[in-house]
Amino acid sequence: HAETLDDMSLKTDPKWLKSEPAKMLETSTYRGTAFEYDITGLMVVQMLPTSIPVLALMGFSVGSGAALILGAVALHALVWNSLHPAMHGMDDIPLEHGLNFPLAFAKALRKTPYYDWLYKNHTGHHVLSGRVNYNVCCPLIDHLVGTYVPESEWAPKARMPAGAAARDPYPAGEYKMRLAERLASGMVAAELVNGKELETLELVEA
């Protein structure tokens, strides 16, 4: 969360990139935004021992319960990978790295009211420092457990960088392009908040 600006783009300023949290993300191809196969597999392993007994009490056999879990995790990974990396400006994840819809289908989904809802819900999650709107793919859960905050409440608190108004909601490859821009010119104008790098602005405000 610390790496994400309120318009969902990722920071590229030198101060941030030299920080320990940023260095921890250097080994991740998608900087923690994608569910690659190892992460999806880990989710299945974590869910089996807790979910199988509950599903058994509901009348599911071990086999049918396991199939339901596998199907749910696979669908979650498909939806997540079709929107989450790209909305943060990372490359679209190819099938050899993780489950994902064909790119043309994913792009079509991104134009639907459902994906617009997901996008706005997740923006609120980042604007409010990851303390609300936890569910990227299933926001209804936030409504049920009381962690949902509507756009009318989080939007006034957003500190949008200069490029927010013109930013494509799913700018796959944006992060790499901004790194190249910063290397060439020393700054990325689209990342500036009130004319300053966010890291510098936060020091002044503190």
Side-chain angles (χ1 to χ4, degrees), residues 8 25 30 80 85 94 105 108 127 141 144 179 199 202 205:
M8 307 292 272
L25 295 170
Y30 300 94
W80 179 287
F105 184 55
V127 168
I141 301 299
L144 296 177
L179 286 176
E199 296 294 316
E202 288 176 340
E205 292 177 347

Side-chain angles (χ1 to χ4, degrees), residues 1 124-134:
H1 294 100
H125 175 73
H126 282 283
V127 168
L128 297 183
S129 303
R131 297 189 298 269
V132 298
N133 295 8
Y134 294 100

Side-chain angles (χ1 to χ4, degrees), residues 51-60:
S51 300
I52 289 292
V54 174
L55 291 171
L57 290 173
M58 296 171 66
F60 289 88

Side-chain angles (χ1 to χ4, degrees), residues 146-206:
T147 54
Y148 171 72
V149 173
E151 185 178 5
S152 60
E153 292 185 24
W154 60 255
K157 300 176 182 178
R159 295 191 299 181
M160 291 296 179
R167 186 176 186 264
D168 185 308
Y170 297 97
E174 173 190 66
Y175 183 71
K176 287 182 178 178
M177 289 188 289
R178 288 192 175 183
L179 286 176
E181 182 182 347
R182 189 171 288 278
L183 183 63
S185 64
M187 66 173 293
V188 178
E191 288 185 25
L192 299 181
V193 178
N194 296 329
K196 298 180 180 295
E197 298 280 10
L198 185 60
E199 296 294 316
T200 303
L201 188 65
E202 288 176 340
L203 286 174
V204 172
E205 292 177 347

Side-chain angles (χ1 to χ4, degrees), residues 44 47-48 51-52 54-56 58-76:
V44 172
M47 290 181 66
L48 287 175
S51 300
I52 289 292
V54 174
L55 291 171
M58 296 171 66
F60 289 88
S61 66
V62 172
S64 60
L68 182 62
I69 291 169
L70 288 171
V73 172
L75 179 59
H76 179 269

